[in-house]
Amino acid sequence: MAAAAATGGFRLGQRVHAAGDPRRVGTVRYLGPVEGHSGDWVGVDWDDGAGGRHDGSVAGRRYFFAAGERSASFARPTALSQGISLPDALRLRYHVEDFTKEEQDEMYVFSTSQKRVSVEFVGQNKVQEKFKNFSDLTSASVSYMGVSSIGAPDELKSLVPKLRLLDLTGNLFSQWQDISALGQALASLEVLNLTNNTMKNDVTESPMLENFRILVLNNCGLTWELVEKIKVSFTCLNELHLMLNKLKTIMIPAGKFVQGFNTLRLLNLEDNHIDSWDEIVKLSYLKSLEQLHLNKNRIKHVNYPPNLPSHGPLDDASAVPFENLQVLLLGSNEIDDFSSVDSLNLFPSLTDVRISDNPIADPAKGGAPRFVLIARLGKVKVLNGSEVSPRERRESEIRYVRLVMGKTQSDGAEEIKRLHPRFAELKAFHGIEDEKPTSSTSGPQKMASGLISITLKCVGPSMGEKQPLTKKLPPTTTIGKLKSLCESFFKLKDIRVKLFVVEEGCPLPQLLEEDTASLMELGIGSGASIIVDEES
């Protein structure tokens, strides 16, 4: 207590900001003297480094352990701020006591007798918005204003009784009792953003906060143990955002699966440290879950969990895993196998999938192009944020079947069935026949045994202006052979070319790198466009 009194009432674990700079936020880790320096000091571990000088030790003596090698510093109490109350922040942000002359003039016009006459026009709306009545305020942001407390609950309740959305990003909150008090004071509050407030695992009681619908806890230093505690209070949440919390495991107190969250439709776990799909399986029986955001984790493999009675939650052995999940975002993970892609077909309601920036979806790393992913994902209507039109699906599936047919001679029937589980279904659905020695072929379904009509377009800057050419080529034509033909067709002397195929739904043409691969093996059929460019 003496150290706290000598250092301006600061306490260990308290969140503070640099005086005059509410965006430079840190946590108090030490209170007291520093050897070789007079007076008392506050040792602060600054968020994200924020201009620290050491790791909590000075001149060979350790005072505390900081998060980084240079994230800590000592400051005089007068150089730090303990923050302001939420009512004070709202008044600072949304209320000014006196209008300036310019603002008054915006709200009035003058008559010929120099009497001010109030009129309705855009300037007046702008000014009135700035000074709107607090009792009518429904949404407010006090981000990075150094808010450390909710103040007197009754004062807050009378100030903004209709507040529905509150953004507290980057402030000084750390104790859940403050958040509970906030929810109890503001009965209309539905959306709360606590991003970049470092919250403690200090939940001791769980008052019901049934008004909340959306809770944003990005970069709050949470563990799943804390999530399990707060879900008791937030019983009616529709969305829960938990990005950037370094979560690796989903720890649950009993049983194999997360329970509760009965109204939760969206769970955002992006940008954490999750590397095992087994952790995600623990979320299988959140019965209302429609969207699961897992971008920017470290997941390597995905599978649909077996639906066995012994695996179901304790109160419902017949429940179906991920029964209502419609959106699954897996971008920027480490998925590199087709079995993970194929398993997505087993999710009963899944129609929107993101797997971009994974090795399996990066052709430059040996992954699959968009048309292959569409063909393998039979129910997906949105892939990587882009809608899959009926035409794109049909063309992708036909091209995929042709690609697999080009492999049937090297791979046996059983191997094809194992590696391409939708091949037989798609081949039958589109009426694509095996190659036959006949010349009476027509349409895309029989193009494997006929000629393929390809449109060639020159775009190289030194090639000169060339008219596009449409050529009919055997499906066995290799990319290397096609390059030679393009040099001949367009009379490209001493110019080496590279080729790209244009696919519907892809933002960029796909480079055709493998000279020994044939058009059939690459699934390229009639109607395709090939871009002819020059080697750089």
Side-chain angles (χ1 to χ4, degrees), residues 321-343:
F322 294 114
E323 183 173 9
N324 293 304
L325 189 67
Q326 300 171 23
V327 180
L328 179 58
L329 305 185
L330 291 161
S332 300
N333 276 275
E334 299 173 14
I335 301 167
D336 62 359
D337 62 310
F338 277 121
S339 62
S340 291
V341 176
D342 297 334
S343 73

Side-chain angles (χ1 to χ4, degrees), residues 124-246:
Q124 180 184 9
N125 292 338
K126 179 182 68 175
V127 174
Q128 286 183 337
E129 177 67 21
K130 183 177 178 182
F131 307 107
K132 71 192 304 182
N133 191 327
F134 279 111
S135 64
D136 293 328
L137 198 65
T138 59
S139 63
S141 172
V142 289
S143 59
Y144 296 101
M145 290 189 68
V147 183
S148 58
S149 73
I150 71 163
D154 289 342
E155 178 188 10
L156 185 62
K157 182 178 180 178
S158 62
L159 185 67
V160 284
K162 297 180 182 179
L163 198 67
R164 295 177 58 245
L165 183 153
L166 177 60
D167 184 358
L168 290 172
T169 295
N171 282 290
L172 306 179
F173 286 99
S174 62
Q175 297 178 313
W176 279 103
Q177 64 188 29
D178 292 331
I179 307 307
S180 297
L182 175 66
Q184 291 173 304
L186 299 178
S188 298
L189 193 61
E190 297 180 1
V191 182
L192 179 62
N193 188 347
L194 285 167
T195 293
N196 295 348
N197 288 266
T198 300
M199 303 304 300
K200 296 178 181 177
N201 185 359
D202 63 347
V203 178
T204 55
E205 56 184 53
S206 304
M208 290 297 103
L209 301 173
E210 297 177 347
N211 43 314
F212 284 89
R213 296 295 180 267
I214 299 174
L215 183 60
V216 183
L217 297 170
N218 298 336
N219 196 29
C220 288
L222 299 190
T223 62
W224 194 267
E225 179 186 9
L226 181 55
V227 175
E228 288 289 319
K229 290 180 180 178
I230 65 174
K231 76 178 183 184
V232 178
S233 294
F234 297 95
T235 56
C236 296
L237 280 185
N238 299 143
E239 296 185 19
L240 177 59
H241 297 262
L242 301 172
M243 295 173 61
L244 291 161
N245 281 296
K246 298 180 181 179

